[in-house]
Amino acid sequence: MSAFKIMWLIVMFDLPTTSKKDRKRYRWLFNYLDKEGYIRLQYSVYGKVFNSLQSANYGKKRLKDFLKINIKKGNVRMFLMTDAQFGKMEIVVGEQSSQEEIVQQLLFDF
Amino acid sequence: MAAWKTIRITKPCKLRIKNGNLVIEDETMRVKLSLSDIDSIIFEGDRFTLSAKVLAALSKHKVAALFCDEYYMPTAILHPYHQSSLATETLKAQLSLPDDLCDRFWQEIIRVKILNQSAVLSYFAKEDQKLEKYAKQIRPGDPYRTEAKSARIYWKKLFNDLKREANSLDVRNQALNYAYAILRSLITRDLSAAGFIPALGLWHDNRYNAFNLSDDLMEPFRPLVDIAIYLLLQNYKDDYLAPALKRDIVTIFDKEYIIFEGGLSTMRTTSVRYIQRFKAAILNRKIEFINFPTIDFEALSECF
């Protein structure tokens, strides 16, 4: 229908939470993701919708810059997928959150 | 990052800002929306609460906000200012615009509007030779009121004997007014984001109207809205503005049937670029910089 291609940026992370400093850095990442508008798909798996590949790459770059400065230990990985690919994801147990459906709609009625 | 989302608030709910995101919640549901994704927001319900911080955040992110009255017709828009880094320069250029250039701008705007109107009529096989004649006749500043003459023919032909009124109970008028109000809020948002004062118009000079310039610049878009409304109304038999119809009206701004600068796009994206072209024309004092939208009829038939 419309020319823009919805992209999902998925971020998955494992961060150490043993020391107090580690937990602080964990909070930083959590707050950053929240502020940028990422939504939680599962624990430690976050996703954000972008309306084009360009803006997705830009969002990725910003996240990388943040990680480079603030996160030293642990394991963070991310990947991009189209909305069609995301839609093919199977949810075997449990169900999709309402938040996930809402973020991709062009018009959102409340 | 370009914003692309439209939000309509119809149910009782609470809006607030949390950690830079817009949070909408009621007893059962809680949604988080990123402000940078939101392009416009329509407050339609009458029992929602929102804080001043929400309004400030909406203006900061250049969201076109539209507030409705008890009849669910738009009455107010949020008009932020100081958004453009070149605001003063643009403002000076706008204020010192010579009258003859204003008249030339108005001539171009009306010429394109009449041509668009005539294109709309010929799409429905209701064409009138007079409109094209008027488009040729038009002089700078439109001293012979060609616009009014063509509008009379246009409305009579398009809808059978429709009288355009502001507070009409006719569903056609209501649908048009509703769509125009959204269009007006988009244009006003883009104007103030570009550093213009929407109160000072090119031709519209109503001292009770705070959006004279928006009314000037939205003229070429009106026929584009009309054609969409006409096609939408064919699916609805009610004689009042049904909620489903209203929902459809909001979506016409995201349909791709506009040709602007050689490419196909939506009204939402066109309006931003159109205002930027207008800004370039104002700053350079050259009418050639401006570009106008037209309809792609092939794409239109796919959209509706």
Side-chain angles (χ1 to χ4, degrees):
Chain A
M1 175 202 89
S2 126
F4 72 92
K5 303 241 185 319
I6 292 185
M7 301 293 291
W8 280 84
L9 177 59
I10 312 288
V11 185
M12 303 182 283
F13 59 85
D14 280 325
L15 294 188
T17 49
T18 39
S19 72
K20 208 172 175 185
K21 203 160 191 181
D22 286 340
R23 283 197 290 277
K24 193 169 77 180
R25 290 186 186 279
Y26 178 88
R27 290 307 301 174
W28 283 352
L29 179 61
F30 178 83
N31 280 337
Y32 175 82
L33 292 174
D34 187 34
K35 201 176 262 172
E36 287 282 308
Y38 287 79
I39 57 165
R40 206 192 75 194
L41 303 174
Q42 291 184 359
Y43 285 111
S44 304
V45 181
Y46 284 71
K48 182 172 157 75
V49 177
F50 293 93
N51 63 349
S52 66
L53 186 61
Q54 284 97 315
S55 57
N57 282 332
Y58 186 58
K60 203 155 108 179
K61 187 181 164 287
R62 266 182 307 176
L63 180 59
K64 271 187 193 162
D65 289 347
F66 174 86
L67 292 172
K68 203 180 270 175
I69 297 169
N70 296 301
I71 309 294
K72 311 281 182 205
K73 284 181 275 181
N75 192 338
V76 184
R77 53 186 75 190
M78 56 172 126
F79 62 95
L80 268 177
M81 55 161 94
T82 63
D83 194 37
Q85 288 168 324
F86 187 83
K88 286 206 183 100
M89 179 172 64
E90 267 180 67
I91 302 176
V92 186
V93 183
E95 55 189 38
Q96 203 178 27
S97 73
S98 56
Q99 185 79 55
E100 273 169 63
E101 291 163 30
I102 284 157
V103 282
Q104 19 183 337
Q105 289 164 9
L106 212 58
L107 169 66
F108 168 56
D109 265 329
F110 194 87
Chain B
M1 187 166 52
W4 44 281
K5 225 174 166 59
T6 310
I7 297 178
R8 233 160 50 115
I9 308 286
T10 48
K11 282 188 248 163
C13 63
K14 218 172 196 167
L15 289 96
R16 60 198 176 88
I17 299 290
K18 198 185 168 217
N19 211 353
N21 294 303
L22 181 66
V23 175
I24 308 175
E25 60 186 346
D26 63 0
E27 289 88 43
T28 54
M29 208 161 93
R30 183 170 176 278
V31 216
K32 183 181 93 174
L33 292 157
S34 176
L35 273 165
S36 52
D37 286 348
I38 304 175
D39 187 70
S40 58
I41 182 163
I42 304 171
F43 294 100
E44 255 194 27
D46 40 7
R47 276 176 296 154
F48 58 85
T49 351
L50 78 171
S51 59
K53 204 175 162 191
V54 172
L55 292 179
L58 289 179
S59 6
K60 195 184 157 212
H61 286 88
K62 300 179 188 174
V63 177
L66 199 59
F67 297 88
C68 300
D69 62 7
E70 66 268 38
Y71 303 108
Y72 304 108
M73 291 303 279
T75 52
I77 59 183
L78 185 64
H79 169 216
Y81 58 94
H82 290 320
Q83 289 187 322
S84 165
S85 49
L86 288 174
T88 324
E89 196 185 314
T90 318
L91 197 54
K92 273 183 190 158
Q94 188 195 358
L95 292 176
S96 61
L97 199 65
D99 284 347
D100 56 327
L101 203 61
C102 272
D103 290 346
R104 281 279 293 122
F105 272 121
W106 182 241
Q107 180 191 7
E108 272 309 295
I109 287 170
I110 289 307
R111 198 176 61 81
V112 175
K113 183 192 177 187
I114 295 177
L115 287 177
N116 275 346
Q117 283 180 334
S118 141
V120 169
L121 285 185
S122 57
Y123 181 70
F124 297 116
K126 297 177 175 185
E127 59 266 74
D128 195 303
Q129 304 302 325
K130 273 191 202 142
L131 285 186
E132 278 175 25
K133 206 178 80 196
Y134 284 148
K136 281 197 199 100
Q137 277 175 352
I138 183 164
R139 297 271 85 85
D142 196 14
Y144 305 114
R145 297 286 179 269
T146 326
E147 187 213 355
K149 283 188 216 159
S150 63
R152 199 155 56 224
I153 296 172
Y154 172 71
W155 289 116
K156 218 175 204 164
K157 282 239 166 183
L158 183 60
F159 295 102
N160 295 325
D161 289 318
L162 174 76
K163 190 162 176 276
R164 286 280 301 131
E165 281 169 335
N167 296 316
S168 166
L169 291 176
D170 190 315
V171 61
R172 297 171 296 182
N173 266 329
Q174 283 188 329
L176 286 167
N177 290 342
Y178 190 76
Y180 286 164
I182 299 172
L183 174 62
R184 202 180 188 206
S185 76
L186 290 181
I187 298 260
T188 308
R189 184 268 313 270
D190 294 331
L191 275 175
S192 55
F196 288 105
I197 290 192
L200 300 169
L202 300 167
W203 182 82
H204 281 89
D205 188 20
N206 183 341
R207 57 177 159 160
Y208 305 112
N209 182 357
F211 304 110
N212 283 312
L213 187 57
S214 323
D215 291 344
D216 284 333
L217 289 174
M218 68 189 264
E219 293 292 352
F221 287 82
R222 283 180 195 263
L224 317 183
V225 172
D226 301 338
I227 193 166
I229 297 286
Y230 187 93
L231 291 169
L232 279 183
L233 280 174
Q234 290 177 339
N235 306 333
Y236 289 90
K237 297 281 166 276
D238 312 313
D239 56 351
Y240 62 94
L241 199 55
L245 173 59
K246 250 196 248 181
R247 200 192 142 92
D248 278 353
I249 292 176
V250 177
T251 61
I252 67 174
F253 296 93
D254 292 311
K255 297 265 202 269
E256 275 199 334
Y257 66 98
I258 313 286
I259 305 177
F260 189 74
E261 294 177 336
L264 202 61
S265 74
T266 65
M267 242 185 289
R268 204 175 283 286
T269 48
T270 305
S271 102
V272 186
R273 278 151 63 208
Y274 170 66
I275 299 299
Q276 290 305 325
R277 303 294 297 179
F278 175 71
K279 185 177 174 180
I282 292 275
L283 289 176
N284 294 301
R285 296 277 142 99
K286 278 209 177 74
I287 192 110
E288 291 79 26
F289 278 84
I290 202 163
N291 233 322
F292 291 103
T294 45
I295 309 170
D296 186 324
F297 290 106
E298 244 170 68
L300 181 79
S301 50
E302 279 172 31
C303 290
F304 293 99

Short mmCIF file of all heavy atoms in Angstrom, two decimals, chain A residues 60-105:
data_model
loop_
_atom_site.label_atom_id
_atom_site.label_comp_id
_atom_site.label_asym_id
_atom_site.label_seq_id
_atom_site.Cartn_x
_atom_site.Cartn_y
_atom_site.Cartn_z
N LYS A 60 20.51 2.10 14.50
CA LYS A 60 21.52 1.11 14.84
C LYS A 60 22.83 1.78 15.23
O LYS A 60 23.48 1.42 16.21
CB LYS A 60 21.75 0.22 13.62
CG LYS A 60 22.30 -1.12 13.90
CD LYS A 60 21.91 -2.06 12.79
CE LYS A 60 23.10 -2.40 11.93
NZ LYS A 60 22.75 -3.33 10.86
N LYS A 61 23.16 2.81 14.44
CA LYS A 61 24.41 3.53 14.69
C LYS A 61 24.37 4.20 16.06
O LYS A 61 25.35 4.15 16.82
CB LYS A 61 24.62 4.57 13.60
CG LYS A 61 25.97 5.26 13.67
CD LYS A 61 26.11 6.30 12.60
CE LYS A 61 27.26 7.24 12.91
NZ LYS A 61 26.94 8.16 14.01
N ARG A 62 23.23 4.80 16.37
CA ARG A 62 23.11 5.48 17.66
C ARG A 62 23.26 4.49 18.81
O ARG A 62 23.92 4.77 19.81
CB ARG A 62 21.77 6.19 17.75
CG ARG A 62 21.85 7.62 17.34
CD ARG A 62 20.51 8.28 17.49
NE ARG A 62 19.49 7.48 16.79
CZ ARG A 62 18.19 7.76 16.81
NH1 ARG A 62 17.76 8.77 17.50
NH2 ARG A 62 17.33 7.02 16.14
N LEU A 63 22.63 3.35 18.64
CA LEU A 63 22.71 2.33 19.69
C LEU A 63 24.15 1.85 19.86
O LEU A 63 24.65 1.69 20.97
CB LEU A 63 21.78 1.17 19.36
CG LEU A 63 21.75 0.01 20.35
CD1 LEU A 63 21.33 0.48 21.72
CD2 LEU A 63 20.81 -1.08 19.87
N LYS A 64 24.84 1.68 18.73
CA LYS A 64 26.24 1.23 18.79
C LYS A 64 27.11 2.24 19.51
O LYS A 64 27.95 1.87 20.32
CB LYS A 64 26.77 1.03 17.36
CG LYS A 64 26.54 -0.35 16.82
CD LYS A 64 27.25 -0.47 15.50
CE LYS A 64 26.82 -1.71 14.77
NZ LYS A 64 27.15 -1.63 13.35
N ASP A 65 26.87 3.52 19.18
CA ASP A 65 27.65 4.56 19.85
C ASP A 65 27.42 4.53 21.35
O ASP A 65 28.36 4.68 22.14
CB ASP A 65 27.25 5.95 19.30
CG ASP A 65 27.75 6.16 17.90
OD1 ASP A 65 28.58 5.35 17.46
OD2 ASP A 65 27.30 7.11 17.23
N PHE A 66 26.17 4.31 21.73
CA PHE A 66 25.86 4.25 23.15
C PHE A 66 26.57 3.07 23.79
O PHE A 66 27.19 3.19 24.86
CB PHE A 66 24.35 4.13 23.34
CG PHE A 66 23.93 3.91 24.76
CD1 PHE A 66 23.75 5.00 25.61
CD2 PHE A 66 23.76 2.63 25.26
CE1 PHE A 66 23.39 4.81 26.92
CE2 PHE A 66 23.40 2.44 26.58
CZ PHE A 66 23.21 3.53 27.41
N LEU A 67 26.51 1.92 23.13
CA LEU A 67 27.11 0.71 23.71
C LEU A 67 28.62 0.84 23.85
O LEU A 67 29.20 0.40 24.82
CB LEU A 67 26.77 -0.50 22.83
CG LEU A 67 25.31 -0.93 22.81
CD1 LEU A 67 25.09 -1.98 21.76
CD2 LEU A 67 24.88 -1.43 24.17
N LYS A 68 29.23 1.46 22.85
CA LYS A 68 30.69 1.60 22.85
C LYS A 68 31.15 2.36 24.09
O LYS A 68 32.16 2.04 24.70
CB LYS A 68 31.11 2.34 21.58
CG LYS A 68 32.54 2.09 21.17
CD LYS A 68 32.87 2.86 19.91
CE LYS A 68 32.57 2.07 18.65
NZ LYS A 68 32.79 2.89 17.44
N ILE A 69 30.39 3.38 24.46
CA ILE A 69 30.79 4.21 25.59
C ILE A 69 30.42 3.55 26.92
O ILE A 69 31.20 3.55 27.85
CB ILE A 69 30.12 5.60 25.48
CG1 ILE A 69 30.60 6.30 24.22
CG2 ILE A 69 30.45 6.45 26.70
CD1 ILE A 69 29.82 7.54 23.88
N ASN A 70 29.22 2.97 26.99
CA ASN A 70 28.68 2.63 28.30
C ASN A 70 28.79 1.17 28.69
O ASN A 70 28.78 0.86 29.88
CB ASN A 70 27.22 3.06 28.37
CG ASN A 70 27.07 4.55 28.25
OD1 ASN A 70 27.61 5.29 29.05
ND2 ASN A 70 26.38 4.99 27.23
N ILE A 71 28.80 0.26 27.73
CA ILE A 71 28.77 -1.15 28.09
C ILE A 71 30.12 -1.79 27.78
O ILE A 71 30.57 -1.76 26.63
CB ILE A 71 27.64 -1.89 27.33
CG1 ILE A 71 26.31 -1.16 27.48
CG2 ILE A 71 27.52 -3.33 27.79
CD1 ILE A 71 25.73 -1.13 28.86
N LYS A 72 30.75 -2.34 28.80
CA LYS A 72 32.08 -2.92 28.59
C LYS A 72 32.03 -4.44 28.59
O LYS A 72 32.73 -5.10 27.84
CB LYS A 72 33.04 -2.46 29.70
CG LYS A 72 33.03 -0.99 29.95
CD LYS A 72 33.84 -0.23 28.92
CE LYS A 72 33.84 1.25 29.26
NZ LYS A 72 34.05 2.09 28.09
N LYS A 73 31.22 -4.99 29.47
CA LYS A 73 31.20 -6.45 29.61
C LYS A 73 29.87 -7.01 29.13
O LYS A 73 28.92 -6.29 28.91
CB LYS A 73 31.41 -6.82 31.09
CG LYS A 73 32.85 -6.66 31.54
CD LYS A 73 32.98 -7.06 33.00
CE LYS A 73 32.64 -5.89 33.92
NZ LYS A 73 32.78 -6.21 35.33
N GLY A 74 29.82 -8.32 29.01
CA GLY A 74 28.56 -8.97 28.62
C GLY A 74 28.49 -9.25 27.14
O GLY A 74 29.51 -9.26 26.44
N ASN A 75 27.28 -9.45 26.66
CA ASN A 75 27.07 -9.90 25.29
C ASN A 75 25.83 -9.20 24.74
O ASN A 75 24.73 -9.36 25.25
CB ASN A 75 26.87 -11.42 25.35
CG ASN A 75 26.94 -12.05 23.99
OD1 ASN A 75 26.74 -11.38 22.99
ND2 ASN A 75 27.24 -13.33 23.96
N VAL A 76 26.02 -8.37 23.71
CA VAL A 76 24.89 -7.69 23.09
C VAL A 76 24.90 -7.99 21.61
O VAL A 76 25.96 -7.87 20.98
CB VAL A 76 24.96 -6.16 23.29
CG1 VAL A 76 23.72 -5.49 22.71
CG2 VAL A 76 25.12 -5.80 24.75
N ARG A 77 23.80 -8.43 21.07
CA ARG A 77 23.73 -8.61 19.62
C ARG A 77 22.45 -8.03 19.08
O ARG A 77 21.46 -7.92 19.77
CB ARG A 77 23.90 -10.09 19.26
CG ARG A 77 22.97 -11.02 19.98
CD ARG A 77 23.31 -12.46 19.67
NE ARG A 77 24.50 -12.90 20.37
CZ ARG A 77 25.10 -14.06 20.12
NH1 ARG A 77 24.63 -14.86 19.19
NH2 ARG A 77 26.17 -14.42 20.80
N MET A 78 22.54 -7.63 17.80
CA MET A 78 21.34 -7.04 17.20
C MET A 78 21.24 -7.45 15.75
O MET A 78 22.23 -7.77 15.11
CB MET A 78 21.39 -5.52 17.31
CG MET A 78 22.60 -4.87 16.73
SD MET A 78 22.37 -3.11 16.76
CE MET A 78 23.81 -2.56 17.61
N PHE A 79 20.03 -7.47 15.24
CA PHE A 79 19.85 -7.71 13.81
C PHE A 79 18.61 -7.00 13.30
O PHE A 79 17.70 -6.66 14.05
CB PHE A 79 19.82 -9.21 13.49
CG PHE A 79 18.69 -9.95 14.14
CD1 PHE A 79 17.50 -10.16 13.46
CD2 PHE A 79 18.82 -10.46 15.43
CE1 PHE A 79 16.48 -10.85 14.05
CE2 PHE A 79 17.79 -11.14 16.03
CZ PHE A 79 16.62 -11.35 15.35
N LEU A 80 18.63 -6.76 11.99
CA LEU A 80 17.52 -6.07 11.33
C LEU A 80 16.68 -7.08 10.57
O LEU A 80 17.21 -8.01 9.99
CB LEU A 80 18.09 -5.08 10.31
CG LEU A 80 18.35 -3.65 10.75
CD1 LEU A 80 18.98 -2.91 9.59
CD2 LEU A 80 17.09 -2.96 11.16
N MET A 81 15.39 -6.90 10.58
CA MET A 81 14.55 -7.71 9.71
C MET A 81 13.37 -6.89 9.21
O MET A 81 13.00 -5.88 9.81
CB MET A 81 14.08 -8.97 10.43
CG MET A 81 13.36 -8.72 11.73
SD MET A 81 12.42 -10.14 12.20
CE MET A 81 13.52 -11.01 13.24
N THR A 82 12.81 -7.31 8.10
CA THR A 82 11.66 -6.59 7.58
C THR A 82 10.43 -6.97 8.40
O THR A 82 10.43 -7.95 9.13
CB THR A 82 11.40 -6.93 6.11
OG1 THR A 82 11.08 -8.32 6.03
CG2 THR A 82 12.59 -6.63 5.26
N ASP A 83 9.38 -6.21 8.22
CA ASP A 83 8.16 -6.47 8.96
C ASP A 83 7.55 -7.81 8.54
O ASP A 83 6.98 -8.53 9.35
CB ASP A 83 7.16 -5.33 8.72
CG ASP A 83 6.01 -5.37 9.72
OD1 ASP A 83 6.29 -5.71 10.88
OD2 ASP A 83 4.88 -5.08 9.34
N ALA A 84 7.71 -8.16 7.25
CA ALA A 84 7.18 -9.43 6.76
C ALA A 84 7.87 -10.59 7.48
O ALA A 84 7.23 -11.57 7.90
CB ALA A 84 7.38 -9.53 5.27
N GLN A 85 9.20 -10.47 7.61
CA GLN A 85 9.93 -11.52 8.31
C GLN A 85 9.53 -11.61 9.77
O GLN A 85 9.35 -12.68 10.32
CB GLN A 85 11.44 -11.26 8.20
CG GLN A 85 11.97 -11.52 6.82
CD GLN A 85 13.37 -10.98 6.64
OE1 GLN A 85 13.73 -9.95 7.18
NE2 GLN A 85 14.17 -11.69 5.87
N PHE A 86 9.35 -10.42 10.36
CA PHE A 86 8.95 -10.40 11.76
C PHE A 86 7.58 -11.05 11.93
O PHE A 86 7.34 -11.78 12.90
CB PHE A 86 8.90 -8.95 12.26
CG PHE A 86 8.65 -8.82 13.73
CD1 PHE A 86 9.69 -8.92 14.63
CD2 PHE A 86 7.36 -8.60 14.20
CE1 PHE A 86 9.46 -8.81 15.99
CE2 PHE A 86 7.13 -8.49 15.56
CZ PHE A 86 8.19 -8.60 16.45
N GLY A 87 6.71 -10.81 10.95
CA GLY A 87 5.36 -11.37 11.03
C GLY A 87 5.35 -12.88 10.93
O GLY A 87 4.43 -13.54 11.41
N LYS A 88 6.39 -13.45 10.31
CA LYS A 88 6.45 -14.91 10.17
C LYS A 88 6.95 -15.59 11.44
O LYS A 88 6.98 -16.81 11.52
CB LYS A 88 7.38 -15.27 9.00
CG LYS A 88 6.72 -15.00 7.67
CD LYS A 88 7.31 -15.88 6.59
CE LYS A 88 6.71 -15.56 5.24
NZ LYS A 88 7.59 -14.71 4.43
N MET A 89 7.37 -14.77 12.40
CA MET A 89 7.86 -15.36 13.65
C MET A 89 6.75 -16.16 14.31
O MET A 89 5.61 -15.70 14.40
CB MET A 89 8.30 -14.22 14.57
CG MET A 89 8.81 -14.69 15.91
SD MET A 89 9.52 -13.32 16.82
CE MET A 89 8.09 -12.28 17.04
N GLU A 90 7.06 -17.35 14.73
CA GLU A 90 6.05 -18.17 15.39
C GLU A 90 6.12 -17.97 16.90
O GLU A 90 7.20 -17.97 17.47
CB GLU A 90 6.31 -19.64 15.09
CG GLU A 90 5.54 -20.15 13.89
CD GLU A 90 5.83 -21.60 13.64
OE1 GLU A 90 5.44 -22.43 14.49
OE2 GLU A 90 6.49 -21.91 12.64
N ILE A 91 4.98 -17.80 17.49
CA ILE A 91 4.95 -17.73 18.94
C ILE A 91 4.39 -19.07 19.41
O ILE A 91 3.22 -19.38 19.20
CB ILE A 91 4.08 -16.55 19.41
CG1 ILE A 91 4.66 -15.27 18.82
CG2 ILE A 91 4.06 -16.49 20.92
CD1 ILE A 91 3.86 -14.05 19.13
N VAL A 92 5.25 -19.87 19.99
CA VAL A 92 4.85 -21.25 20.28
C VAL A 92 4.06 -21.30 21.58
O VAL A 92 2.99 -21.89 21.66
CB VAL A 92 6.10 -22.15 20.35
CG1 VAL A 92 5.67 -23.59 20.51
CG2 VAL A 92 6.91 -21.99 19.08
N VAL A 93 4.60 -20.67 22.59
CA VAL A 93 3.89 -20.63 23.87
C VAL A 93 3.66 -19.17 24.20
O VAL A 93 4.53 -18.33 23.96
CB VAL A 93 4.72 -21.32 24.98
CG1 VAL A 93 3.94 -21.33 26.28
CG2 VAL A 93 5.10 -22.71 24.56
N GLY A 94 2.52 -18.86 24.78
CA GLY A 94 2.23 -17.47 25.14
C GLY A 94 1.64 -16.74 23.94
O GLY A 94 1.28 -17.35 22.94
N GLU A 95 1.52 -15.42 24.06
CA GLU A 95 0.94 -14.65 22.97
C GLU A 95 1.65 -13.31 22.80
O GLU A 95 2.41 -12.88 23.67
CB GLU A 95 -0.55 -14.44 23.20
CG GLU A 95 -0.88 -13.81 24.53
CD GLU A 95 -2.38 -13.84 24.79
OE1 GLU A 95 -3.04 -14.84 24.42
OE2 GLU A 95 -2.87 -12.85 25.34
N GLN A 96 1.36 -12.70 21.63
CA GLN A 96 1.96 -11.41 21.31
C GLN A 96 1.40 -10.33 22.24
O GLN A 96 0.20 -10.34 22.54
CB GLN A 96 1.60 -11.07 19.86
CG GLN A 96 2.54 -10.11 19.22
CD GLN A 96 2.15 -9.85 17.77
OE1 GLN A 96 0.99 -9.97 17.40
NE2 GLN A 96 3.12 -9.49 16.97
N SER A 97 2.24 -9.41 22.65
CA SER A 97 1.73 -8.33 23.49
C SER A 97 1.03 -7.30 22.61
O SER A 97 1.32 -7.18 21.42
CB SER A 97 2.87 -7.67 24.25
OG SER A 97 3.64 -6.90 23.37
N SER A 98 0.07 -6.58 23.21
CA SER A 98 -0.67 -5.59 22.43
C SER A 98 0.27 -4.51 21.91
O SER A 98 0.08 -3.96 20.83
CB SER A 98 -1.75 -4.95 23.29
OG SER A 98 -1.18 -4.40 24.44
N GLN A 99 1.31 -4.23 22.65
CA GLN A 99 2.29 -3.23 22.26
C GLN A 99 2.93 -3.57 20.91
O GLN A 99 3.15 -2.72 20.07
CB GLN A 99 3.35 -3.14 23.36
CG GLN A 99 4.38 -2.08 23.18
CD GLN A 99 3.88 -0.70 23.58
OE1 GLN A 99 3.41 -0.49 24.68
NE2 GLN A 99 3.97 0.24 22.68
N GLU A 100 3.20 -4.86 20.71
CA GLU A 100 3.84 -5.29 19.46
C GLU A 100 2.96 -5.01 18.26
O GLU A 100 3.44 -4.63 17.19
CB GLU A 100 4.12 -6.79 19.50
CG GLU A 100 5.43 -7.14 20.13
CD GLU A 100 5.52 -8.62 20.37
OE1 GLU A 100 5.50 -9.38 19.41
OE2 GLU A 100 5.58 -9.02 21.55
N GLU A 101 1.63 -5.21 18.42
CA GLU A 101 0.74 -4.97 17.29
C GLU A 101 0.63 -3.49 17.01
O GLU A 101 0.57 -3.06 15.86
CB GLU A 101 -0.66 -5.52 17.60
CG GLU A 101 -0.71 -7.02 17.66
CD GLU A 101 -1.97 -7.50 18.36
OE1 GLU A 101 -2.98 -6.79 18.29
OE2 GLU A 101 -1.90 -8.57 19.00
N ILE A 102 0.62 -2.70 18.07
CA ILE A 102 0.35 -1.27 17.93
C ILE A 102 1.47 -0.55 17.21
O ILE A 102 1.22 0.28 16.35
CB ILE A 102 0.11 -0.66 19.32
CG1 ILE A 102 -1.28 -1.05 19.79
CG2 ILE A 102 0.25 0.83 19.31
CD1 ILE A 102 -1.43 -0.99 21.25
N VAL A 103 2.72 -0.89 17.51
CA VAL A 103 3.81 -0.07 17.00
C VAL A 103 3.93 -0.08 15.49
O VAL A 103 4.47 0.83 14.91
CB VAL A 103 5.17 -0.45 17.61
CG1 VAL A 103 5.30 0.09 18.99
CG2 VAL A 103 5.39 -1.93 17.58
N GLN A 104 3.40 -1.10 14.82
CA GLN A 104 3.57 -1.14 13.37
C GLN A 104 2.41 -0.50 12.61
O GLN A 104 2.47 -0.39 11.41
CB GLN A 104 3.79 -2.57 12.90
CG GLN A 104 3.34 -3.56 13.91
CD GLN A 104 3.61 -4.98 13.51
OE1 GLN A 104 3.75 -5.27 12.35
NE2 GLN A 104 3.67 -5.85 14.47
N GLN A 105 1.34 -0.13 13.32
CA GLN A 105 0.19 0.44 12.62
C GLN A 105 0.43 1.88 12.20
O GLN A 105 1.03 2.65 12.92
CB GLN A 105 -1.05 0.39 13.50
CG GLN A 105 -1.58 -0.99 13.71
CD GLN A 105 -2.56 -1.05 14.87
OE1 GLN A 105 -2.95 -0.02 15.41
NE2 GLN A 105 -2.94 -2.24 15.24
#
